[in-house]
């Protein structure tokens, strides 16, 4: 069974993380599948809305670190950057449905969703500094805009998790629901959008994003270049080694 499930019905394309045995951690192959799906959805007039969801117990543990280090993104043709550029510039409505852990890109991809619904068990975290790398997905730009500098600094510099209520208070989540209702509710909202005039949805989203489109693209590219460099440096290798060895990393060595 595919690690990314793709289902299209009644104008809604649903992309589902389906790697529960690995906590829906994302591999290069999964990023490639997501990127191709978004490219297809962009061109297919029959697709009017996209939903990205996981399981009611877990959204995504972020990057599969072993795969990520073995297949590091070296330029913008890498699957992860193709996916991020695809979702950030996607012209149609995107809905995120999040339950359980949303780590790293599991949280930052939500910054590019138009609506986000979370289970009351959702737990968001941005541990980039703790992994010896920098933020991605233009989160170093978008989080200060959404949260203000001091809150963004707390999430990005400390990398400590925060819950659904905090995310809603900060404007990252529209509504909190019981976990077993989140995906169903997101689908219902998607159907509502799919029934609306598509030209109105497209133009409204375009106007809402117009002021930041170029800035997001530039920041994402800049972050990607630094991220790729930092992956090769000692701090990131120590962080991954410590994760694999199930020990606390010692950054005094690097």
């Amino acid at each position: 069974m595919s690690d990314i499930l793709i289902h299209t019905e009644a104008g809604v394309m649903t992309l589902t993380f389906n790697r529960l045995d690995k906590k829906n951690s994302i591999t290069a192959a999964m990023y490639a599948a997501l990127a191709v799906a978004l490219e297809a959805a962009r061109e297919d007039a029959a697709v009017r809305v996209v939903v990205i969801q996981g399981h009611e117990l877990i959204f995504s543990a972020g990057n599969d670190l072993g795969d990520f280090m073995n297949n590091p993104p070296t330029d913008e043709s890498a699957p992860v950057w193709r996916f991020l550029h695809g979702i950030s510039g996607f012209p149609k409505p995107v809905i995120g449905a999040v339950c359980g852990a949303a780590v790293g890109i599991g949280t930052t991809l939500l910054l590019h969703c138009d609506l986000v619904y979370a289970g009351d068990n959702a737990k968001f975290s941005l541990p980039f500094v703790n992994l010896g790398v920098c933020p991605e997905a233009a989160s170093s730009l978008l989080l200060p805009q959404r949260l203000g500098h001091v809150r963004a600094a707390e999430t990005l510099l400390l990398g400590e998790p925060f819950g659904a209520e905090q995310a809603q208070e900060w404007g990252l989540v529209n509504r909190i629901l019981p976990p077993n209702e989140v995906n169903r509710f997101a689908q219902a909202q998607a159907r509502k959008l799919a029934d609306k005039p598509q030209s109105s949805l497209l133009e409204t989203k375009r106007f809402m994003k117009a002021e930041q489109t170029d800035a997001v693209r530039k920041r994402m590219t800049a972050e990607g270049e630094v991220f790729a460099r930092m992956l090769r440096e000692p701090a990131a290798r120590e962080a991954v080694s410590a994760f694999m060895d199930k020990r606390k990393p010692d950054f005094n060595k690097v």
Side-chain angles (χ1 to χ4, degrees):
M1 186 176 291
S2 174
D3 291 338
I4 298 292
L5 301 181
I6 303 171
H7 177 74
T8 303
E9 183 179 353
V12 180
M13 175 183 281
T14 303
L15 307 176
T16 305
F17 294 120
N18 186 49
R19 197 182 181 220
L20 287 176
D21 59 323
K22 299 295 185 180
K23 299 182 179 180
N24 286 343
S25 57
I26 310 173
T27 62
M30 292 167 70
Y31 282 125
L34 290 167
V36 169
L38 288 178
E39 289 163 7
R42 185 184 186 111
E43 300 302 321
D44 188 350
V47 175
R48 303 167 77 89
V49 185
V50 169
V51 175
I52 301 178
Q53 65 183 25
H55 188 269
E56 64 184 51
L57 297 179
I58 179 77
F59 182 64
S60 175
N63 290 312
D64 181 306
L65 292 180
D67 179 83
F68 209 65
M69 296 304 286
N70 289 329
N71 301 283
T74 56
D75 56 49
E76 291 195 343
S77 67
V80 60
W81 305 137
R82 283 178 54 209
F83 164 65
L84 287 175
H85 282 287
I87 192 172
S88 68
F90 194 72
K92 303 174 185 180
V94 181
I95 297 176
V98 187
C99 296
V103 181
I105 197 167
T107 290
T108 60
L109 74 84
L110 302 173
L111 298 172
H112 304 284
C113 294
D114 302 291
L115 300 169
V116 178
Y117 302 108
D120 56 24
N121 65 340
K123 189 71 73 173
F124 306 87
S125 61
L126 299 159
F128 302 113
V129 167
N130 300 338
L131 293 171
V133 292
C134 68
E136 33 81 328
S139 56
S140 65
L141 172 70
L142 296 174
L143 278 171
Q145 289 179 351
R146 295 271 194 99
L147 278 59
H149 179 82
V150 294
R151 286 175 174 171
E154 190 169 42
T155 61
L156 288 172
L157 298 181
L158 290 174
E160 295 175 348
F162 55 95
E165 290 186 3
Q166 193 75 78
Q168 185 179 40
E169 180 185 332
W170 288 348
L172 300 176
V173 166
N174 291 87
R175 188 175 302 191
I176 301 171
L177 300 148
N180 63 353
E181 296 180 14
V182 173
N183 288 357
R184 184 168 61 249
F185 185 83
Q187 289 293 324
Q189 297 296 87
R191 295 292 176 88
K192 288 180 185 178
L193 289 172
D195 287 340
K196 296 183 184 297
Q198 188 174 43
S199 59
S200 295
L201 292 175
L202 293 175
E203 293 298 347
T204 300
K205 178 169 179 174
R206 182 175 68 84
F207 279 127
M208 286 195 298
K209 293 206 159 204
E211 295 299 321
Q212 64 181 27
T213 298
D214 288 342
V216 165
R217 186 182 302 113
K218 290 177 182 177
R219 182 62 60 89
M220 197 175 289
T221 296
E223 288 174 346
E225 292 172 354
V226 175
F227 193 104
R229 170 177 60 78
M230 296 187 77
L231 272 181
R232 302 188 298 270
E233 295 178 348
R237 296 193 176 279
E238 166 61 14
V240 173
S241 177
F243 177 82
M244 297 300 185
D245 295 342
K246 298 182 179 179
R247 62 176 174 81
K248 184 178 179 179
D250 182 4
F251 294 117
N252 291 319
K253 299 178 180 178
V254 299

